[in-house]
Amino acid sequence: MITPAAPDLADSLFPSAREEAPRANQPTAVPQTEHPAYRLAFQDDDFLLREELRPVRFQLELLKPELLLAEAGITSTFVFYGSARIPSPEQADGVLAAARTPREKLVAERLVAKSGYYTVARELARLSSCADRGQGEPCLTVCSGGGPSMMEAANRGAWDEGAPSLGLNIVLPHEQVPNAYVTPGLSFQFHYFALRKMHFLLRAKAVAVFPGGFGTFDEFFELLTLVQTGKVAPLPILLYGREFWTRVVNFEALAEEGVISPRDLELFRFVETAEEGWEMVKAWYSSGPLDD
C-alpha cells in the first residue's frame, strides 16, 4: 500500500494553469482536438484578439505591469515627458549636417538649440535616483516613455547612478525600440494609450515636462486636467523651458478668457535647471516621505 505524502496545507487541491497548460498543448490528434475551438481560452490568440475581448485585454494590460512593478517594489516614480525628436548633444552635429533645405536647416537649428534639455533631463534623473536605497537619501524611480531623445535622457540619468528605471513603450506603426538605458525587467509595451497613461501616473510623485509635440501636450494637459478636477492629488509638475512653452501656449490668455481659473496657473512651475527642479520636489515633500 502506497502511503501518500503529507499534504502541505497551503497547497491547492487543483492543478495550476501553469501545470496543466503543457498537457493541453499535446492532445491526441483527432479532428475534435485539432479544431481551434478545443484550445484553452487563455492560450488561444485568435480568441483573445477578438473585438469582444477588448475589456479583457484592457484588464490584462493594466494588471501585468501592476503585478511586476509591485513585485519589484516600485512604489514612487518621477515621470519624465518630452519630445522624441530633440537630439542629444552627441547627435547635434549629425542633425545639422543632415539638413538640406533652408526650412530643414531652420528646424534643425531649433532642435539642436534644445539639446541642452537632454543634459538637464539626464542630470535631473541622476539626482532623483538612488542605486542603494538603504543610504537614507531621498530618491524616486525614473519613469519615461521608453523611447529616444528626452525619454532616453531620463533613463540614462538613472543608469548613470546605477539605479533602475522604467520604460513604458507603445506599439506604433513605425517600430519604437526601447532605449538602451531602460532596466530590462522594467520595460513594458502597451497597445492602449489609455492604459499606458494610467501607469505613468499610478505611482507618480513628481512629473517633469520638457519641450515636446502632440504626445507631450497630450500627457501634460491630461495631467493638468486630472489635478484641476481633483481626480489626481496635487504633485510637483515641473515645466522645463519657459521660452518654449510661453511661445507655443499662451497660458495667461486662457485665464484672461475665463476658461481656466488664475489659480490653475499655479498647478505647474517653470524651471530651467536640474538642481532647481530637484530642490522643488524635495521641498514639496519636506514634511512627508519622498522615497519608496
Side-chain angles (χ1 to χ4, degrees):
M1 180 177 178
I2 299 175
T3 304
D8 186 334
L9 296 180
D11 288 346
S12 170
L13 291 175
F14 297 95
S16 69
R18 185 182 297 277
E19 294 170 331
E20 290 238 298
R23 292 195 288 271
N25 284 330
Q26 298 174 340
T28 301
V30 296
Q32 290 80 8
T33 62
E34 292 180 342
H35 194 280
Y38 197 72
R39 297 173 191 155
L40 288 175
F42 57 81
Q43 292 185 315
D44 187 345
D45 287 347
D46 290 336
F47 173 68
L48 290 174
L49 296 176
R50 289 175 59 144
E51 287 294 310
E52 299 90 340
L53 269 290
R54 182 177 289 119
V56 174
R57 294 195 297 275
F58 263 64
Q59 184 176 11
L60 292 173
E61 195 152 286
L62 175 65
L63 189 58
K64 180 181 177 180
E66 185 72 15
L67 291 176
L68 294 181
L69 290 173
E71 290 170 0
I74 305 298
T75 59
S76 302
T77 59
F78 197 152
V79 176
F80 285 64
Y81 294 143
S83 174
R85 303 186 183 196
I86 294 173
S88 67
E90 300 97 317
Q91 298 168 326
D93 289 344
V95 170
L96 291 172
R100 294 290 180 264
T101 68
R103 166 73 176 173
E104 289 177 350
K105 290 180 180 179
L106 177 61
V107 171
E109 289 170 357
R110 288 178 173 173
L111 283 173
V112 168
K114 297 180 185 66
S115 65
Y117 287 116
Y118 182 103
T119 303
V120 173
R122 181 178 175 182
E123 177 62 11
L124 178 63
R126 190 194 67 78
L127 288 172
S128 61
S129 299
C130 291
D132 184 353
R133 303 206 168 224
Q135 297 297 319
E137 289 292 324
C139 53
L140 297 168
T141 302
V142 166
C143 175
S144 85
S149 190
M150 306 309 298
M151 296 172 278
E152 176 188 281
N155 296 116
R156 189 175 179 181
W159 183 85
D160 290 338
E161 196 66 16
S165 68
L166 281 65
L168 308 184
N169 220 294
I170 186 77
V171 178
L172 297 173
H174 50 280
E175 183 181 16
Q176 179 180 275
V177 179
N179 70 68
Y181 302 101
V182 179
T183 302
L186 300 176
S187 182
F188 301 98
Q189 183 174 214
F190 291 84
H191 172 65
Y192 299 105
F193 266 107
L195 273 300
R196 177 180 182 244
K197 289 196 287 185
M198 180 174 288
H199 273 292
F200 271 130
L201 298 179
L202 280 174
R203 292 167 171 78
K205 294 297 186 291
V207 177
V209 187
F210 289 85
F214 289 159
T216 304
F217 274 60
D218 177 41
E219 293 154 348
F220 173 45
F221 280 97
E222 179 166 303
L223 172 59
L224 291 181
T225 302
L226 290 169
V227 177
Q228 180 198 50
T229 57
K231 300 297 286 185
V232 165
L235 75 168
I237 302 175
L238 312 178
L239 197 55
Y240 275 88
R242 179 188 290 270
E243 181 180 353
F244 170 82
W245 286 106
T246 54
R247 178 171 182 261
V248 297
V249 183
N250 193 333
F251 295 102
E252 296 289 346
L254 291 173
E256 291 169 0
E257 292 292 329
V259 293
I260 65 171
S261 165
R263 292 192 303 275
D264 294 333
L265 299 177
E266 300 174 6
L267 296 178
F268 56 88
R269 290 288 184 271
F270 287 111
V271 285
E272 296 296 335
T273 70
E275 293 77 11
E276 179 187 13
W278 183 230
E279 288 302 319
M280 284 187 179
V281 174
K282 290 195 295 183
W284 181 286
Y285 292 105
S286 60
S287 59
L290 173 64
D291 53 344
D292 287 347

Short mmCIF file of all heavy atoms in Angstrom, two decimals, residues 31-84:
data_model
loop_
_atom_site.label_atom_id
_atom_site.label_comp_id
_atom_site.label_asym_id
_atom_site.label_seq_id
_atom_site.Cartn_x
_atom_site.Cartn_y
_atom_site.Cartn_z
N PRO A 31 -9.88 14.82 -35.00
CA PRO A 31 -10.49 16.04 -35.56
C PRO A 31 -10.96 17.03 -34.51
O PRO A 31 -10.84 18.24 -34.67
CB PRO A 31 -11.65 15.48 -36.38
CG PRO A 31 -11.20 14.13 -36.79
CD PRO A 31 -10.42 13.60 -35.63
N GLN A 32 -11.48 16.53 -33.40
CA GLN A 32 -12.01 17.44 -32.38
C GLN A 32 -10.89 18.26 -31.72
O GLN A 32 -11.02 19.46 -31.50
CB GLN A 32 -12.76 16.63 -31.30
CG GLN A 32 -14.06 16.04 -31.77
CD GLN A 32 -13.84 14.75 -32.57
OE1 GLN A 32 -12.72 14.23 -32.64
NE2 GLN A 32 -14.92 14.24 -33.17
N THR A 33 -9.75 17.60 -31.42
CA THR A 33 -8.67 18.32 -30.73
C THR A 33 -7.90 19.23 -31.68
O THR A 33 -7.23 20.16 -31.22
CB THR A 33 -7.68 17.32 -30.09
OG1 THR A 33 -7.07 16.52 -31.11
CG2 THR A 33 -8.39 16.44 -29.08
N GLU A 34 -7.96 18.97 -32.97
CA GLU A 34 -7.24 19.80 -33.93
C GLU A 34 -8.02 21.06 -34.32
O GLU A 34 -7.48 21.94 -34.98
CB GLU A 34 -6.91 18.98 -35.18
CG GLU A 34 -5.87 17.89 -34.90
CD GLU A 34 -5.53 17.09 -36.13
OE1 GLU A 34 -6.31 17.13 -37.10
OE2 GLU A 34 -4.48 16.42 -36.13
N HIS A 35 -9.26 21.13 -33.92
CA HIS A 35 -10.06 22.32 -34.23
C HIS A 35 -9.73 23.43 -33.23
O HIS A 35 -9.52 23.16 -32.04
CB HIS A 35 -11.55 21.98 -34.15
CG HIS A 35 -12.42 23.04 -34.76
ND1 HIS A 35 -12.75 24.20 -34.12
CD2 HIS A 35 -13.01 23.09 -35.99
CE1 HIS A 35 -13.50 24.94 -34.90
NE2 HIS A 35 -13.69 24.29 -36.05
N PRO A 36 -9.67 24.72 -33.67
CA PRO A 36 -9.35 25.83 -32.75
C PRO A 36 -10.28 25.92 -31.55
O PRO A 36 -9.87 26.42 -30.49
CB PRO A 36 -9.49 27.07 -33.64
CG PRO A 36 -9.24 26.58 -35.02
CD PRO A 36 -9.79 25.18 -35.06
N ALA A 37 -11.49 25.43 -31.67
CA ALA A 37 -12.43 25.51 -30.56
C ALA A 37 -11.94 24.74 -29.33
O ALA A 37 -12.34 25.04 -28.20
CB ALA A 37 -13.79 24.97 -30.99
N TYR A 38 -11.03 23.78 -29.54
CA TYR A 38 -10.57 22.93 -28.45
C TYR A 38 -9.45 23.57 -27.64
O TYR A 38 -9.11 23.09 -26.56
CB TYR A 38 -10.09 21.59 -29.02
CG TYR A 38 -9.97 20.49 -27.99
CD1 TYR A 38 -11.10 19.90 -27.43
CD2 TYR A 38 -8.71 20.03 -27.58
CE1 TYR A 38 -10.99 18.89 -26.49
CE2 TYR A 38 -8.58 19.03 -26.64
CZ TYR A 38 -9.72 18.46 -26.10
OH TYR A 38 -9.61 17.46 -25.16
N ARG A 39 -8.85 24.64 -28.13
CA ARG A 39 -7.75 25.27 -27.40
C ARG A 39 -8.24 25.84 -26.08
O ARG A 39 -9.37 26.33 -25.97
CB ARG A 39 -7.14 26.41 -28.22
CG ARG A 39 -6.51 26.00 -29.52
CD ARG A 39 -6.09 27.23 -30.31
NE ARG A 39 -5.72 26.89 -31.67
CZ ARG A 39 -5.78 27.73 -32.70
NH1 ARG A 39 -6.19 28.99 -32.50
NH2 ARG A 39 -5.42 27.34 -33.90
N LEU A 40 -7.37 25.81 -25.07
CA LEU A 40 -7.69 26.53 -23.84
C LEU A 40 -7.87 28.01 -24.16
O LEU A 40 -7.10 28.59 -24.93
CB LEU A 40 -6.56 26.37 -22.82
CG LEU A 40 -6.41 24.99 -22.17
CD1 LEU A 40 -5.17 24.96 -21.28
CD2 LEU A 40 -7.64 24.64 -21.35
N ALA A 41 -8.86 28.62 -23.56
CA ALA A 41 -9.20 30.00 -23.91
C ALA A 41 -8.01 30.94 -23.75
O ALA A 41 -7.76 31.81 -24.58
CB ALA A 41 -10.37 30.48 -23.07
N PHE A 42 -7.24 30.75 -22.65
CA PHE A 42 -6.14 31.69 -22.39
C PHE A 42 -4.91 31.40 -23.24
O PHE A 42 -3.93 32.14 -23.17
CB PHE A 42 -5.78 31.73 -20.90
CG PHE A 42 -5.41 30.41 -20.29
CD1 PHE A 42 -4.15 29.89 -20.44
CD2 PHE A 42 -6.34 29.71 -19.54
CE1 PHE A 42 -3.80 28.68 -19.87
CE2 PHE A 42 -6.01 28.50 -18.97
CZ PHE A 42 -4.73 27.98 -19.12
N GLN A 43 -4.93 30.32 -24.04
CA GLN A 43 -3.84 30.04 -24.98
C GLN A 43 -4.25 30.23 -26.42
O GLN A 43 -3.47 29.93 -27.33
CB GLN A 43 -3.34 28.59 -24.78
CG GLN A 43 -2.65 28.36 -23.46
CD GLN A 43 -2.07 26.96 -23.37
OE1 GLN A 43 -2.71 25.98 -23.71
NE2 GLN A 43 -0.83 26.87 -22.93
N ASP A 44 -5.42 30.76 -26.61
CA ASP A 44 -5.99 30.91 -27.96
C ASP A 44 -5.88 32.38 -28.39
O ASP A 44 -6.72 33.20 -28.02
CB ASP A 44 -7.45 30.45 -27.96
CG ASP A 44 -8.06 30.40 -29.35
OD1 ASP A 44 -7.47 31.00 -30.28
OD2 ASP A 44 -9.13 29.78 -29.50
N ASP A 45 -4.84 32.71 -29.16
CA ASP A 45 -4.64 34.09 -29.57
C ASP A 45 -5.80 34.60 -30.42
O ASP A 45 -6.21 35.77 -30.29
CB ASP A 45 -3.34 34.23 -30.36
CG ASP A 45 -2.12 34.14 -29.46
OD1 ASP A 45 -2.28 34.22 -28.22
OD2 ASP A 45 -1.01 33.98 -29.98
N ASP A 46 -6.30 33.78 -31.31
CA ASP A 46 -7.42 34.21 -32.16
C ASP A 46 -8.61 34.61 -31.30
O ASP A 46 -9.32 35.58 -31.62
CB ASP A 46 -7.82 33.09 -33.12
CG ASP A 46 -6.78 32.85 -34.19
OD1 ASP A 46 -6.01 33.79 -34.47
OD2 ASP A 46 -6.73 31.74 -34.73
N PHE A 47 -8.85 33.88 -30.23
CA PHE A 47 -9.95 34.20 -29.33
C PHE A 47 -9.65 35.48 -28.54
O PHE A 47 -10.48 36.39 -28.46
CB PHE A 47 -10.19 33.02 -28.38
CG PHE A 47 -11.20 33.31 -27.30
CD1 PHE A 47 -12.54 33.48 -27.61
CD2 PHE A 47 -10.81 33.41 -25.97
CE1 PHE A 47 -13.48 33.75 -26.60
CE2 PHE A 47 -11.73 33.67 -24.97
CZ PHE A 47 -13.07 33.84 -25.29
N LEU A 48 -8.45 35.57 -27.97
CA LEU A 48 -8.11 36.73 -27.13
C LEU A 48 -8.09 38.03 -27.92
O LEU A 48 -8.27 39.11 -27.34
CB LEU A 48 -6.74 36.51 -26.48
CG LEU A 48 -6.69 35.45 -25.38
CD1 LEU A 48 -5.26 35.23 -24.93
CD2 LEU A 48 -7.56 35.84 -24.19
N LEU A 49 -7.85 37.95 -29.24
CA LEU A 49 -7.76 39.16 -30.05
C LEU A 49 -9.07 39.54 -30.72
O LEU A 49 -9.12 40.47 -31.52
CB LEU A 49 -6.67 38.98 -31.12
CG LEU A 49 -5.25 38.82 -30.56
CD1 LEU A 49 -4.25 38.56 -31.68
CD2 LEU A 49 -4.83 40.05 -29.76
N ARG A 50 -10.15 38.86 -30.37
CA ARG A 50 -11.47 39.23 -30.91
C ARG A 50 -11.89 40.61 -30.38
O ARG A 50 -11.51 41.01 -29.28
CB ARG A 50 -12.51 38.19 -30.52
CG ARG A 50 -12.37 36.85 -31.22
CD ARG A 50 -13.36 35.84 -30.70
NE ARG A 50 -14.74 36.29 -30.88
CZ ARG A 50 -15.75 35.48 -31.17
NH1 ARG A 50 -15.53 34.18 -31.33
NH2 ARG A 50 -16.97 35.95 -31.30
N GLU A 51 -12.70 41.30 -31.15
CA GLU A 51 -13.19 42.62 -30.73
C GLU A 51 -13.91 42.54 -29.39
O GLU A 51 -13.79 43.42 -28.54
CB GLU A 51 -14.13 43.19 -31.80
CG GLU A 51 -13.43 43.68 -33.06
CD GLU A 51 -12.53 44.87 -32.80
OE1 GLU A 51 -13.01 45.84 -32.18
OE2 GLU A 51 -11.36 44.83 -33.20
N GLU A 52 -14.68 41.47 -29.21
CA GLU A 52 -15.47 41.34 -27.98
C GLU A 52 -14.61 41.18 -26.74
O GLU A 52 -15.08 41.37 -25.61
CB GLU A 52 -16.42 40.13 -28.09
CG GLU A 52 -17.43 40.21 -29.22
CD GLU A 52 -16.92 39.60 -30.52
OE1 GLU A 52 -15.67 39.47 -30.66
OE2 GLU A 52 -17.74 39.26 -31.38
N LEU A 53 -13.33 40.83 -26.93
CA LEU A 53 -12.44 40.60 -25.78
C LEU A 53 -11.66 41.86 -25.40
O LEU A 53 -10.76 41.79 -24.55
CB LEU A 53 -11.47 39.46 -26.10
CG LEU A 53 -11.91 38.04 -25.71
CD1 LEU A 53 -11.90 37.88 -24.20
CD2 LEU A 53 -13.27 37.70 -26.28
N ARG A 54 -11.97 43.01 -26.00
CA ARG A 54 -11.24 44.24 -25.65
C ARG A 54 -11.27 44.53 -24.15
O ARG A 54 -10.23 44.89 -23.58
CB ARG A 54 -11.79 45.44 -26.43
CG ARG A 54 -11.02 46.72 -26.13
CD ARG A 54 -11.50 47.91 -26.95
NE ARG A 54 -11.11 47.78 -28.34
CZ ARG A 54 -11.97 47.71 -29.35
NH1 ARG A 54 -13.27 47.73 -29.12
NH2 ARG A 54 -11.54 47.61 -30.59
N PRO A 55 -12.41 44.37 -23.45
CA PRO A 55 -12.37 44.63 -22.00
C PRO A 55 -11.40 43.73 -21.26
O PRO A 55 -10.76 44.16 -20.30
CB PRO A 55 -13.83 44.35 -21.57
CG PRO A 55 -14.64 44.56 -22.80
CD PRO A 55 -13.78 44.08 -23.93
N VAL A 56 -11.24 42.48 -21.70
CA VAL A 56 -10.29 41.58 -21.07
C VAL A 56 -8.86 42.04 -21.34
O VAL A 56 -8.00 42.01 -20.45
CB VAL A 56 -10.51 40.13 -21.57
CG1 VAL A 56 -9.43 39.20 -21.02
CG2 VAL A 56 -11.90 39.65 -21.19
N ARG A 57 -8.60 42.48 -22.58
CA ARG A 57 -7.25 42.96 -22.90
C ARG A 57 -6.93 44.23 -22.12
O ARG A 57 -5.79 44.44 -21.70
CB ARG A 57 -7.13 43.21 -24.41
CG ARG A 57 -7.23 41.93 -25.24
CD ARG A 57 -6.76 42.13 -26.66
NE ARG A 57 -7.55 43.10 -27.40
CZ ARG A 57 -8.68 42.82 -28.05
NH1 ARG A 57 -9.16 41.59 -28.05
NH2 ARG A 57 -9.33 43.76 -28.71
N PHE A 58 -7.92 45.09 -21.91
CA PHE A 58 -7.71 46.26 -21.05
C PHE A 58 -7.26 45.81 -19.66
O PHE A 58 -6.30 46.35 -19.09
CB PHE A 58 -9.02 47.05 -20.93
CG PHE A 58 -9.13 48.22 -21.86
CD1 PHE A 58 -9.17 48.03 -23.23
CD2 PHE A 58 -9.22 49.50 -21.37
CE1 PHE A 58 -9.27 49.11 -24.09
CE2 PHE A 58 -9.32 50.59 -22.23
CZ PHE A 58 -9.35 50.39 -23.59
N GLN A 59 -7.97 44.84 -19.12
CA GLN A 59 -7.65 44.38 -17.78
C GLN A 59 -6.25 43.77 -17.72
O GLN A 59 -5.48 44.05 -16.79
CB GLN A 59 -8.67 43.34 -17.33
CG GLN A 59 -8.48 42.87 -15.90
CD GLN A 59 -9.56 41.92 -15.46
OE1 GLN A 59 -10.35 41.44 -16.27
NE2 GLN A 59 -9.61 41.62 -14.17
N LEU A 60 -5.88 42.98 -18.72
CA LEU A 60 -4.56 42.36 -18.74
C LEU A 60 -3.46 43.40 -18.87
O LEU A 60 -2.41 43.30 -18.21
CB LEU A 60 -4.47 41.36 -19.90
CG LEU A 60 -5.33 40.10 -19.79
CD1 LEU A 60 -5.28 39.30 -21.08
CD2 LEU A 60 -4.88 39.25 -18.61
N GLU A 61 -3.69 44.43 -19.69
CA GLU A 61 -2.67 45.46 -19.89
C GLU A 61 -2.51 46.34 -18.67
O GLU A 61 -1.44 46.90 -18.42
CB GLU A 61 -3.00 46.29 -21.13
CG GLU A 61 -1.82 47.11 -21.62
CD GLU A 61 -1.87 47.38 -23.11
OE1 GLU A 61 -1.60 46.45 -23.89
OE2 GLU A 61 -2.17 48.53 -23.49
N LEU A 62 -3.56 46.44 -17.88
CA LEU A 62 -3.45 47.15 -16.59
C LEU A 62 -2.75 46.27 -15.56
O LEU A 62 -1.89 46.72 -14.81
CB LEU A 62 -4.84 47.54 -16.09
CG LEU A 62 -4.89 48.18 -14.69
CD1 LEU A 62 -4.18 49.52 -14.68
CD2 LEU A 62 -6.33 48.34 -14.22
N LEU A 63 -3.09 44.99 -15.57
CA LEU A 63 -2.66 44.10 -14.49
C LEU A 63 -1.21 43.65 -14.61
O LEU A 63 -0.50 43.56 -13.60
CB LEU A 63 -3.57 42.87 -14.46
CG LEU A 63 -3.42 41.92 -13.27
CD1 LEU A 63 -3.66 42.67 -11.96
CD2 LEU A 63 -4.39 40.76 -13.41
N LYS A 64 -0.73 43.37 -15.83
CA LYS A 64 0.63 42.84 -15.96
C LYS A 64 1.68 43.79 -15.39
O LYS A 64 2.48 43.40 -14.51
CB LYS A 64 0.94 42.50 -17.41
CG LYS A 64 2.35 41.94 -17.60
CD LYS A 64 2.68 41.62 -19.05
CE LYS A 64 4.12 41.13 -19.19
NZ LYS A 64 4.47 40.81 -20.59
N PRO A 65 1.74 45.07 -15.83
CA PRO A 65 2.74 45.98 -15.22
C PRO A 65 2.48 46.18 -13.73
O PRO A 65 3.43 46.32 -12.95
CB PRO A 65 2.56 47.28 -16.00
CG PRO A 65 1.91 46.87 -17.28
CD PRO A 65 1.02 45.73 -16.92
N GLU A 66 1.21 46.21 -13.34
CA GLU A 66 0.89 46.42 -11.93
C GLU A 66 1.52 45.34 -11.06
O GLU A 66 2.14 45.62 -10.03
CB GLU A 66 -0.63 46.43 -11.75
CG GLU A 66 -1.11 46.76 -10.35
CD GLU A 66 -0.92 48.22 -9.98
OE1 GLU A 66 -0.69 49.04 -10.88
OE2 GLU A 66 -1.01 48.53 -8.79
N LEU A 67 1.37 44.08 -11.47
CA LEU A 67 1.92 42.98 -10.69
C LEU A 67 3.45 42.99 -10.69
O LEU A 67 4.09 42.81 -9.64
CB LEU A 67 1.42 41.65 -11.25
CG LEU A 67 -0.07 41.35 -11.05
CD1 LEU A 67 -0.44 40.05 -11.75
CD2 LEU A 67 -0.42 41.27 -9.57
N LEU A 68 4.04 43.22 -11.87
CA LEU A 68 5.50 43.18 -11.96
C LEU A 68 6.15 44.35 -11.22
O LEU A 68 7.21 44.19 -10.59
CB LEU A 68 5.93 43.17 -13.43
CG LEU A 68 5.53 41.91 -14.21
CD1 LEU A 68 6.02 41.99 -15.65
CD2 LEU A 68 6.07 40.65 -13.54
N LEU A 69 5.52 45.51 -11.26
CA LEU A 69 6.07 46.65 -10.53
C LEU A 69 5.93 46.45 -9.02
O LEU A 69 6.84 46.82 -8.25
CB LEU A 69 5.37 47.94 -10.96
CG LEU A 69 5.69 48.42 -12.38
CD1 LEU A 69 4.82 49.61 -12.76
CD2 LEU A 69 7.17 48.78 -12.51
N ALA A 70 4.82 45.86 -8.60
CA ALA A 70 4.65 45.57 -7.18
C ALA A 70 5.70 44.55 -6.72
O ALA A 70 6.30 44.70 -5.65
CB ALA A 70 3.25 45.04 -6.92
N GLU A 71 5.95 43.53 -7.54
CA GLU A 71 6.95 42.53 -7.19
C GLU A 71 8.35 43.13 -7.15
O GLU A 71 9.20 42.68 -6.37
CB GLU A 71 6.90 41.38 -8.19
CG GLU A 71 5.64 40.53 -8.06
CD GLU A 71 5.48 39.54 -9.19
OE1 GLU A 71 6.35 39.49 -10.10
OE2 GLU A 71 4.48 38.80 -9.20
N ALA A 72 8.60 44.17 -7.97
CA ALA A 72 9.90 44.83 -7.98
C ALA A 72 10.03 45.87 -6.88
O ALA A 72 11.10 46.46 -6.71
CB ALA A 72 10.14 45.48 -9.35
N GLY A 73 8.95 46.11 -6.14
CA GLY A 73 9.00 47.08 -5.05
C GLY A 73 8.99 48.52 -5.51
O GLY A 73 9.41 49.42 -4.77
N ILE A 74 8.49 48.77 -6.73
CA ILE A 74 8.43 50.14 -7.25
C ILE A 74 7.13 50.79 -6.79
O ILE A 74 6.04 50.38 -7.20
CB ILE A 74 8.49 50.15 -8.79
CG1 ILE A 74 9.72 49.40 -9.30
CG2 ILE A 74 8.48 51.59 -9.32
CD1 ILE A 74 11.04 49.98 -8.87
N THR A 75 7.23 51.79 -5.94
CA THR A 75 6.04 52.44 -5.41
C THR A 75 5.99 53.94 -5.69
O THR A 75 4.91 54.54 -5.65
CB THR A 75 5.94 52.24 -3.89
OG1 THR A 75 7.11 52.80 -3.27
CG2 THR A 75 5.86 50.76 -3.54
N SER A 76 7.14 54.57 -5.96
CA SER A 76 7.18 56.02 -6.13
C SER A 76 8.04 56.35 -7.34
O SER A 76 9.22 56.01 -7.37
CB SER A 76 7.77 56.69 -4.88
OG SER A 76 7.01 56.35 -3.74
N THR A 77 7.44 57.04 -8.32
CA THR A 77 8.18 57.32 -9.56
C THR A 77 8.27 58.81 -9.84
O THR A 77 7.45 59.61 -9.39
CB THR A 77 7.51 56.62 -10.76
OG1 THR A 77 6.15 57.10 -10.88
CG2 THR A 77 7.51 55.11 -10.59
N PHE A 78 9.28 59.16 -10.62
CA PHE A 78 9.46 60.51 -11.15
C PHE A 78 9.26 60.36 -12.66
O PHE A 78 10.07 59.76 -13.35
CB PHE A 78 10.86 61.02 -10.83
CG PHE A 78 11.03 62.51 -10.98
CD1 PHE A 78 11.98 63.17 -10.21
CD2 PHE A 78 10.27 63.26 -11.87
CE1 PHE A 78 12.16 64.54 -10.32
CE2 PHE A 78 10.44 64.63 -11.99
CZ PHE A 78 11.39 65.28 -11.21
N VAL A 79 8.16 60.90 -13.16
CA VAL A 79 7.78 60.71 -14.56
C VAL A 79 8.38 61.84 -15.41
O VAL A 79 8.29 63.02 -15.05
CB VAL A 79 6.25 60.69 -14.71
CG1 VAL A 79 5.85 60.60 -16.18
CG2 VAL A 79 5.67 59.52 -13.93
N PHE A 80 8.95 61.46 -16.55
CA PHE A 80 9.55 62.41 -17.49
C PHE A 80 8.78 62.36 -18.81
O PHE A 80 8.67 61.29 -19.42
CB PHE A 80 11.02 62.07 -17.75
CG PHE A 80 11.95 62.42 -16.63
CD1 PHE A 80 11.85 61.79 -15.39
CD2 PHE A 80 12.95 63.37 -16.81
CE1 PHE A 80 12.72 62.10 -14.35
CE2 PHE A 80 13.83 63.69 -15.78
CZ PHE A 80 13.71 63.05 -14.54
N TYR A 81 8.24 63.50 -19.22
CA TYR A 81 7.60 63.64 -20.53
C TYR A 81 8.47 64.56 -21.40
O TYR A 81 9.12 65.47 -20.88
CB TYR A 81 6.22 64.29 -20.41
CG TYR A 81 5.17 63.49 -19.68
CD1 TYR A 81 4.24 64.13 -18.85
CD2 TYR A 81 5.07 62.11 -19.84
CE1 TYR A 81 3.25 63.41 -18.19
CE2 TYR A 81 4.08 61.39 -19.18
CZ TYR A 81 3.17 62.05 -18.35
OH TYR A 81 2.19 61.35 -17.70
N GLY A 82 8.45 64.35 -22.70
CA GLY A 82 9.19 65.24 -23.59
C GLY A 82 9.32 64.67 -24.98
O GLY A 82 8.93 63.53 -25.26
N SER A 83 9.87 65.46 -25.86
CA SER A 83 9.98 65.13 -27.28
C SER A 83 10.79 63.88 -27.54
O SER A 83 11.74 63.56 -26.82
CB SER A 83 10.60 66.31 -28.02
OG SER A 83 10.84 65.98 -29.37
N ALA A 84 10.42 63.18 -28.62
CA ALA A 84 11.21 62.06 -29.13
C ALA A 84 12.14 62.52 -30.24
O ALA A 84 12.81 61.69 -30.87
CB ALA A 84 10.29 60.96 -29.65
#
